[in-house]
Amino acid sequence: DFFAQTYIRMKRAYISSGDKADAAEEQAWKFAVMNVFGKYGGGSAERTVYKLFTGSKNVDLGPPRLPQQPINGTERQLLFE
């Protein structure tokens, strides 16, 4: 999950430290990233980026959940510009 560390930082900031501003900043970052993915296919775009993080083209996360469609070449190119 891209956001595991973000969730941990939000929890630490809000629950452990009571720092609502830091927790809100983490949440805003997560929403900004999700907005980018949303512009380029949502879950399909996330799967494309996950694949890059693995360092291997052999990792197949399978197709996106319906009704989403796999990211196409044009969307992929735009995502990585």
Side-chain angles (χ1 to χ4, degrees):
D1 188 328
F2 284 116
F3 304 109
Q5 291 300 315
T6 299
Y7 296 138
I8 291 168
R9 287 189 297 266
M10 278 192 286
K11 181 180 176 185
R12 278 191 195 132
Y14 189 78
I15 295 173
S16 302
S17 306
D19 190 340
K20 293 179 184 179
D22 277 354
E25 186 176 330
E26 284 292 337
Q27 187 177 41
W29 178 86
K30 183 210 182 269
F31 288 151
V33 172
M34 291 302 298
N35 188 39
V36 171
F37 285 137
K39 288 179 183 177
Y40 300 102
S44 298
E46 284 185 65
R47 288 174 178 279
T48 301
V49 174
Y50 276 130
K51 199 169 194 177
L52 289 176
F53 282 173
T54 66
S56 170
K57 294 185 182 208
N58 296 327
V59 174
D60 184 5
L61 299 173
R65 293 181 185 159
L66 293 174
Q68 293 182 350
Q69 297 297 312
I71 194 169
N72 65 39
T74 303
E75 291 169 330
R76 187 181 193 289
Q77 184 177 1
L78 290 170
L79 175 65
F80 292 112
E81 282 184 350

